Amino acid sequence: MRSQIRGGRHLSPATVRAYESDISAVLGWCSDRGLDPALRELDARRVFSYCLELRRQGRSAATIRRRLTALRAAFEAGVSADRAASTAELFDIEKRVLRDPSHQTGVLVLSDDPITRAGLRVVLTDTGALCWSDSVASLDPATMTVWDYILVWVSTPVGIDRFSAITQFTRIHSVLTTSVPVVAVYTGSLHPVVRLRLAEAGFRYAIPHDWLSAHLGQLSGLLSAAELPARFHLETAFALRQQLDLLLGGALAPFLDEAMSLPPEAWTDSSPQEHLPLSRHGVRRLRRIAHELAGIPAPDFGKYSAAVRRAPEWPEWVTVRTLVRSALGIDADR
Protein backbone atom coordinates (compact mmCIF):
# COMPACT_ATOMS: atom_id res chain seq x y z
CA MET A 1 0.00 0.00 0.00
CA ARG A 2 2.77 2.44 0.92
CA SER A 3 4.60 2.08 -2.40
CA GLN A 4 1.31 2.39 -4.30
CA ILE A 5 0.34 5.58 -2.48
CA ARG A 6 3.73 7.10 -3.20
CA GLY A 7 3.28 6.25 -6.88
CA GLY A 8 6.59 7.86 -7.74
CA ARG A 9 5.69 11.12 -6.00
CA HIS A 10 7.89 12.84 -3.42
CA LEU A 11 5.80 12.47 -0.27
CA SER A 12 7.22 12.82 3.20
CA PRO A 13 7.10 9.79 5.51
CA ALA A 14 4.66 11.65 7.76
CA THR A 15 2.30 12.29 4.83
CA VAL A 16 2.43 8.66 3.75
CA ARG A 17 1.70 7.51 7.31
CA ALA A 18 -1.26 9.90 7.50
CA TYR A 19 -2.62 8.60 4.19
CA GLU A 20 -2.22 5.01 5.37
CA SER A 21 -4.08 5.79 8.60
CA ASP A 22 -6.93 7.42 6.69
CA ILE A 23 -7.15 4.59 4.17
CA SER A 24 -7.19 2.09 7.03
CA ALA A 25 -10.18 3.92 8.54
CA VAL A 26 -12.03 3.80 5.20
CA LEU A 27 -11.24 0.10 4.81
CA GLY A 28 -12.70 -0.54 8.26
CA TRP A 29 -15.89 1.26 7.25
CA CYS A 30 -16.12 -0.88 4.11
CA SER A 31 -15.55 -4.08 6.08
CA ASP A 32 -18.28 -3.18 8.58
CA ARG A 33 -20.75 -2.99 5.68
CA GLY A 34 -19.71 -6.17 3.95
CA LEU A 35 -17.96 -4.36 1.11
CA ASP A 36 -14.75 -5.47 -0.54
CA PRO A 37 -11.97 -4.50 1.93
CA ALA A 38 -9.74 -3.25 -0.88
CA LEU A 39 -11.67 -0.17 -2.05
CA ARG A 40 -12.81 -1.96 -5.21
CA GLU A 41 -16.49 -1.31 -4.43
CA LEU A 42 -16.08 2.24 -3.17
CA ASP A 43 -17.93 4.18 -5.84
CA ALA A 44 -19.01 7.83 -5.58
CA ARG A 45 -22.31 7.21 -3.77
CA ARG A 46 -20.54 5.14 -1.11
CA VAL A 47 -17.84 7.75 -0.64
CA PHE A 48 -20.58 10.35 -0.17
CA SER A 49 -22.30 8.06 2.36
CA TYR A 50 -19.02 7.62 4.21
CA CYS A 51 -18.49 11.38 4.38
CA LEU A 52 -22.06 11.85 5.58
CA GLU A 53 -21.40 9.43 8.41
CA LEU A 54 -18.22 11.32 9.33
CA ARG A 55 -20.27 14.52 9.50
CA ARG A 56 -22.78 12.80 11.76
CA GLN A 57 -19.95 11.65 14.03
CA GLY A 58 -18.87 15.26 14.43
CA ARG A 59 -15.62 14.90 12.50
CA SER A 60 -14.05 18.16 11.42
CA ALA A 61 -13.93 19.47 7.88
CA ALA A 62 -10.15 18.99 7.99
CA THR A 63 -10.54 15.28 8.80
CA ILE A 64 -13.06 14.72 6.01
CA ARG A 65 -10.91 16.64 3.53
CA ARG A 66 -7.85 14.61 4.53
CA ARG A 67 -9.71 11.30 4.11
CA LEU A 68 -10.81 12.33 0.63
CA THR A 69 -7.28 13.41 -0.24
CA ALA A 70 -6.00 10.01 0.88
CA LEU A 71 -8.62 8.29 -1.28
CA ARG A 72 -7.61 10.38 -4.28
CA ALA A 73 -3.99 9.39 -3.75
CA ALA A 74 -4.94 5.72 -3.47
CA PHE A 75 -7.23 5.77 -6.51
CA GLU A 76 -4.72 7.66 -8.64
CA ALA A 77 -2.09 5.10 -7.65
CA GLY A 78 -4.29 2.30 -8.96
CA VAL A 79 -5.14 0.74 -5.59
CA SER A 80 -8.80 0.30 -6.63
CA ALA A 81 -10.65 -0.97 -9.67
CA ASP A 82 -12.13 1.12 -12.47
CA ARG A 83 -15.56 1.36 -10.83
CA ALA A 84 -14.19 3.40 -7.91
CA ALA A 85 -14.95 7.11 -7.62
CA SER A 86 -13.00 9.32 -10.01
CA THR A 87 -10.87 12.26 -8.96
CA ALA A 88 -13.50 14.67 -10.30
CA GLU A 89 -16.23 12.90 -8.31
CA LEU A 90 -14.16 13.07 -5.12
CA PHE A 91 -13.63 16.82 -5.54
CA ASP A 92 -17.37 17.25 -6.14
CA ILE A 93 -18.19 15.22 -3.01
CA GLU A 94 -15.80 17.32 -0.94
CA LYS A 95 -17.42 20.50 -2.20
CA ARG A 96 -20.94 19.28 -1.48
CA VAL A 97 -20.30 17.72 1.91
CA LEU A 98 -18.29 20.66 3.25
CA ARG A 99 -20.39 23.35 1.59
CA ASP A 100 -22.15 24.46 4.77
CA PRO A 101 -21.42 23.14 8.29
CA SER A 102 -25.08 23.68 9.22
CA HIS A 103 -26.21 21.11 6.64
CA GLN A 104 -26.61 17.91 8.64
CA THR A 105 -29.71 16.04 7.41
CA GLY A 106 -28.84 13.28 4.95
CA VAL A 107 -31.48 12.59 2.30
CA LEU A 108 -31.25 9.88 -0.35
CA VAL A 109 -33.50 10.59 -3.36
CA LEU A 110 -34.46 7.61 -5.52
CA SER A 111 -36.23 7.95 -8.85
CA ASP A 112 -35.94 6.29 -12.24
CA ASP A 113 -36.64 9.66 -13.86
CA PRO A 114 -33.26 11.47 -14.10
CA ILE A 115 -34.91 14.89 -14.32
CA THR A 116 -37.00 14.28 -11.20
CA ARG A 117 -34.13 13.03 -9.08
CA ALA A 118 -31.74 15.75 -10.25
CA GLY A 119 -34.31 18.45 -9.53
CA LEU A 120 -35.08 17.13 -6.05
CA ARG A 121 -31.39 16.82 -5.24
CA VAL A 122 -30.66 20.41 -6.25
CA VAL A 123 -33.59 21.82 -4.28
CA LEU A 124 -32.85 19.78 -1.16
CA THR A 125 -29.16 20.66 -1.30
CA ASP A 126 -29.88 24.36 -1.79
CA THR A 127 -32.26 24.37 1.17
CA GLY A 128 -29.99 22.66 3.68
CA ALA A 129 -29.77 18.89 3.15
CA LEU A 130 -26.84 16.62 2.36
CA CYS A 131 -28.43 14.89 -0.59
CA TRP A 132 -27.53 12.12 -3.01
CA SER A 133 -29.76 10.94 -5.84
CA ASP A 134 -29.87 7.68 -7.75
CA SER A 135 -32.20 5.39 -9.65
CA VAL A 136 -34.49 3.06 -7.73
CA ALA A 137 -32.73 0.10 -9.32
CA SER A 138 -29.46 1.29 -7.74
CA LEU A 139 -30.62 0.80 -4.15
CA ASP A 140 -27.53 0.08 -2.08
CA PRO A 141 -28.27 -2.03 1.02
CA ALA A 142 -24.72 -1.46 2.27
CA THR A 143 -25.35 2.23 2.92
CA MET A 144 -29.11 2.47 3.46
CA THR A 145 -28.87 3.05 7.20
CA VAL A 146 -26.51 6.03 6.79
CA TRP A 147 -29.35 8.31 5.70
CA ASP A 148 -31.76 10.29 7.85
CA TYR A 149 -34.48 10.00 5.19
CA ILE A 150 -34.97 8.07 1.97
CA LEU A 151 -37.24 9.85 -0.50
CA VAL A 152 -38.64 7.54 -3.19
CA TRP A 153 -40.58 8.55 -6.28
CA VAL A 154 -42.95 5.58 -6.33
CA SER A 155 -45.05 6.48 -9.38
CA THR A 156 -42.68 4.50 -11.56
CA PRO A 157 -44.54 2.37 -14.13
CA VAL A 158 -42.95 -0.85 -15.30
CA GLY A 159 -45.24 -3.01 -17.39
CA ILE A 160 -48.72 -2.84 -15.89
CA ASP A 161 -47.49 -1.92 -12.40
CA ARG A 162 -47.62 1.84 -11.85
CA PHE A 163 -45.78 1.46 -8.54
CA SER A 164 -42.89 -0.85 -9.38
CA ALA A 165 -40.58 1.06 -7.02
CA ILE A 166 -42.56 -0.39 -4.11
CA THR A 167 -41.72 -3.91 -5.27
CA GLN A 168 -38.01 -3.10 -5.36
CA PHE A 169 -38.16 -1.66 -1.87
CA THR A 170 -40.06 -4.66 -0.55
CA ARG A 171 -37.19 -6.90 -1.61
CA ILE A 172 -34.69 -5.06 0.58
CA HIS A 173 -37.01 -4.28 3.48
CA SER A 174 -35.12 -6.71 5.71
CA VAL A 175 -31.98 -4.52 5.63
CA LEU A 176 -33.81 -1.33 6.59
CA THR A 177 -34.06 -0.28 10.19
CA THR A 178 -36.96 1.52 11.79
CA SER A 179 -34.63 4.49 12.34
CA VAL A 180 -34.58 5.26 8.61
CA PRO A 181 -37.89 6.87 7.60
CA VAL A 182 -38.81 6.11 4.00
CA VAL A 183 -40.96 8.73 2.26
CA ALA A 184 -43.05 7.87 -0.81
CA VAL A 185 -43.75 10.64 -3.32
CA TYR A 186 -46.59 9.89 -5.71
CA THR A 187 -48.73 11.46 -8.40
CA GLY A 188 -52.52 11.30 -8.48
CA SER A 189 -54.19 9.50 -5.60
CA LEU A 190 -53.37 6.37 -3.61
CA HIS A 191 -55.86 3.56 -3.20
CA PRO A 192 -55.81 2.01 0.31
CA VAL A 193 -54.39 -1.19 -1.22
CA VAL A 194 -51.41 0.79 -2.54
CA ARG A 195 -51.00 2.36 0.89
CA LEU A 196 -50.89 -1.17 2.28
CA ARG A 197 -48.16 -2.07 -0.23
CA LEU A 198 -46.19 0.94 1.02
CA ALA A 199 -46.70 0.12 4.68
CA GLU A 200 -45.66 -3.50 4.21
CA ALA A 201 -42.55 -2.39 2.27
CA GLY A 202 -41.36 -0.22 5.15
CA PHE A 203 -42.50 3.23 4.02
CA ARG A 204 -43.47 5.61 6.79
CA TYR A 205 -44.82 8.62 4.87
CA ALA A 206 -46.69 9.21 1.60
CA ILE A 207 -46.57 12.72 0.12
CA PRO A 208 -48.50 13.78 -3.00
CA HIS A 209 -46.45 15.44 -5.70
CA ASP A 210 -48.78 18.45 -5.84
CA TRP A 211 -48.09 19.27 -2.19
CA LEU A 212 -44.37 18.67 -2.63
CA SER A 213 -44.20 21.04 -5.60
CA ALA A 214 -45.83 23.79 -3.57
CA HIS A 215 -43.55 23.29 -0.54
CA LEU A 216 -40.18 22.32 -2.02
CA GLY A 217 -38.43 25.23 -0.36
CA GLN A 218 -39.66 24.07 3.06
CA LEU A 219 -39.06 20.35 2.61
CA SER A 220 -35.47 20.23 3.87
CA GLY A 221 -36.40 22.14 7.02
CA LEU A 222 -39.42 19.93 7.64
CA LEU A 223 -37.29 16.81 7.29
CA SER A 224 -34.55 18.19 9.52
CA ALA A 225 -37.05 19.07 12.24
CA ALA A 226 -39.03 15.83 11.74
CA GLU A 227 -42.14 17.94 11.19
CA LEU A 228 -43.77 16.47 8.10
CA PRO A 229 -47.53 17.10 8.35
CA ALA A 230 -49.34 14.36 10.25
CA ARG A 231 -51.71 13.72 7.34
CA PHE A 232 -48.79 12.28 5.37
CA HIS A 233 -47.98 9.63 7.97
CA LEU A 234 -48.88 6.20 6.62
CA GLU A 235 -51.24 4.05 8.61
CA THR A 236 -49.81 0.81 9.95
CA ALA A 237 -50.21 -2.34 7.88
CA PHE A 238 -52.42 -3.71 10.68
CA ALA A 239 -54.79 -0.72 10.49
CA LEU A 240 -54.93 -0.82 6.69
CA ARG A 241 -55.72 -4.53 6.67
CA GLN A 242 -58.56 -3.89 9.06
CA GLN A 243 -59.81 -1.07 6.85
CA LEU A 244 -59.70 -3.33 3.78
CA ASP A 245 -61.29 -6.31 5.58
CA LEU A 246 -58.22 -8.45 4.93
CA LEU A 247 -56.85 -11.12 7.24
CA LEU A 248 -54.20 -9.69 9.54
CA GLY A 249 -51.54 -12.31 8.89
CA GLY A 250 -51.08 -11.88 5.14
CA ALA A 251 -48.59 -10.03 2.94
CA LEU A 252 -49.29 -8.53 -0.46
CA ALA A 253 -45.82 -8.76 -2.00
CA PRO A 254 -45.53 -12.55 -2.54
CA PHE A 255 -49.09 -12.68 -3.83
CA LEU A 256 -48.48 -9.83 -6.29
CA ASP A 257 -45.34 -11.59 -7.52
CA GLU A 258 -47.54 -14.57 -8.38
CA ALA A 259 -50.19 -12.35 -9.96
CA MET A 260 -47.60 -10.60 -12.14
CA SER A 261 -46.43 -13.95 -13.49
CA LEU A 262 -49.75 -14.28 -15.33
CA PRO A 263 -50.38 -12.68 -18.74
CA PRO A 264 -51.05 -8.92 -18.34
CA GLU A 265 -54.44 -9.37 -19.99
CA ALA A 266 -55.61 -11.23 -16.89
CA TRP A 267 -55.63 -7.86 -15.10
CA THR A 268 -56.01 -5.24 -17.83
CA ASP A 269 -58.77 -6.89 -19.89
CA SER A 270 -62.29 -6.27 -18.61
CA SER A 271 -63.64 -9.44 -20.26
CA PRO A 272 -65.37 -12.11 -18.16
CA GLN A 273 -63.15 -14.75 -16.57
CA GLU A 274 -63.95 -17.39 -19.19
CA HIS A 275 -62.63 -15.12 -21.95
CA LEU A 276 -59.29 -14.41 -20.27
CA PRO A 277 -56.07 -16.29 -21.17
CA LEU A 278 -56.31 -18.34 -17.97
CA SER A 279 -57.10 -21.96 -17.27
CA ARG A 280 -59.58 -22.93 -14.59
CA HIS A 281 -56.74 -24.52 -12.70
CA GLY A 282 -54.76 -21.26 -12.89
CA VAL A 283 -57.69 -19.26 -11.56
CA ARG A 284 -58.27 -21.69 -8.68
CA ARG A 285 -54.58 -21.65 -7.82
CA LEU A 286 -54.46 -17.85 -7.69
CA ARG A 287 -57.61 -17.69 -5.57
CA ARG A 288 -55.99 -20.09 -3.11
CA ILE A 289 -52.73 -18.07 -3.07
CA ALA A 290 -54.71 -14.86 -2.60
CA HIS A 291 -56.20 -16.35 0.54
CA GLU A 292 -53.07 -18.02 1.91
CA LEU A 293 -50.51 -15.31 1.09
CA ALA A 294 -52.34 -12.00 0.77
CA GLY A 295 -54.97 -12.69 3.40
CA ILE A 296 -57.99 -12.08 1.17
CA PRO A 297 -60.82 -13.77 3.08
CA ALA A 298 -63.23 -16.29 1.63
CA PRO A 299 -66.84 -15.09 1.23
CA ASP A 300 -69.01 -15.04 4.32
CA PHE A 301 -70.36 -18.55 4.93
CA GLY A 302 -73.64 -17.01 6.05
CA LYS A 303 -74.43 -16.06 2.46
CA TYR A 304 -74.53 -19.67 1.36
CA SER A 305 -76.94 -22.48 2.09
CA ALA A 306 -75.19 -25.81 2.46
CA ALA A 307 -78.26 -27.48 0.98
CA VAL A 308 -77.95 -25.48 -2.23
CA ARG A 309 -74.27 -24.70 -2.70
CA ARG A 310 -71.08 -25.40 -0.82
CA ALA A 311 -69.49 -22.22 0.51
CA PRO A 312 -66.18 -21.47 -1.27
CA GLU A 313 -62.94 -21.93 0.65
CA TRP A 314 -61.16 -19.15 -1.22
CA PRO A 315 -62.05 -15.62 -2.32
CA GLU A 316 -64.00 -15.21 -5.52
CA TRP A 317 -62.15 -14.30 -8.70
CA VAL A 318 -63.77 -10.88 -9.01
CA THR A 319 -62.53 -10.00 -5.50
CA VAL A 320 -59.00 -11.15 -6.31
CA ARG A 321 -58.97 -9.30 -9.61
CA THR A 322 -60.25 -6.07 -8.07
CA LEU A 323 -57.54 -6.10 -5.41
CA VAL A 324 -54.77 -6.76 -7.94
CA ARG A 325 -55.97 -3.98 -10.24
CA SER A 326 -56.08 -1.57 -7.30
CA ALA A 327 -52.64 -2.60 -6.05
CA LEU A 328 -51.06 -2.10 -9.48
CA GLY A 329 -52.82 1.20 -10.09
CA ILE A 330 -54.61 -0.07 -13.20
CA ASP A 331 -57.86 1.67 -12.27
CA ALA A 332 -56.20 4.84 -10.98
CA ASP A 333 -56.96 7.02 -13.98
CA ARG A 334 -60.47 5.74 -14.62
Side-chain angles (χ1 to χ4, degrees), residues 3 36 38 46 88 96 115 117 157 228 295 318:
S3 61
D36 189 302
R46 287 171 173 165
R96 288 166 57 188
I115 296 176
R117 65 174 180 259
L228 286 174
V318 66

Side-chain angles (χ1 to χ4, degrees), residues 265-282:
E265 295 79 13
W267 313 115
T268 59
D269 196 327
S270 58
S271 301
Q273 174 189 327
E274 58 270 19
H275 295 156
L276 296 175
L278 298 172
S279 66
R280 288 187 177 182
H281 171 74

Side-chain angles (χ1 to χ4, degrees), residues 205-281:
Y205 303 91
I207 299 178
H209 174 252
D210 290 346
W211 182 91
L212 185 67
S213 297
H215 297 82
L216 271 177
Q218 306 170 35
L219 182 59
S220 180
L222 291 171
L223 293 175
S224 179
E227 292 180 349
L228 286 174
R231 65 183 181 277
F232 299 141
H233 289 231
L234 270 174
E235 306 91 329
T236 65
F238 183 89
L240 285 163
R241 283 188 164 273
Q242 286 186 315
Q243 177 184 337
L244 291 163
D245 293 325
L246 298 177
L247 302 179
L248 301 182
L252 287 181
F255 163 65
L256 290 176
D257 285 343
E258 291 284 347
M260 291 290 285
S261 69
L262 297 180
E265 295 79 13
W267 313 115
T268 59
D269 196 327
S270 58
S271 301
Q273 174 189 327
E274 58 270 19
H275 295 156
L276 296 175
L278 298 172
S279 66
R280 288 187 177 182
H281 171 74

Side-chain angles (χ1 to χ4, degrees), residues 107-189:
V107 182
L108 175 63
V109 172
L110 296 173
S111 171
D112 286 336
D113 180 355
I115 296 176
T116 297
R117 65 174 180 259
L120 285 172
R121 191 192 80 181
V122 169
V123 170
L124 285 166
T125 299
D126 288 346
T127 55
L130 292 170
C131 186
W132 186 266
S133 62
D134 220 328
S135 65
V136 179
S138 299
L139 290 170
D140 182 21
T143 58
M144 296 298 283
T145 56
V146 168
W147 304 96
D148 295 300
Y149 288 91
I150 301 170
L151 200 68
V152 186
W153 185 270
V154 297
S155 297
T156 308
V158 173
I160 62 173
D161 186 3
R162 287 189 55 192
F163 304 101
S164 63
I166 303 176
T167 299
Q168 297 187 61
F169 240 90
T170 302
R171 290 169 182 161
I172 65 157
H173 184 202
S174 60
V175 306
L176 295 176
T177 68
T178 55
S179 62
V180 184
V182 185
V183 182
V185 180
Y186 63 92
T187 58
S189 59

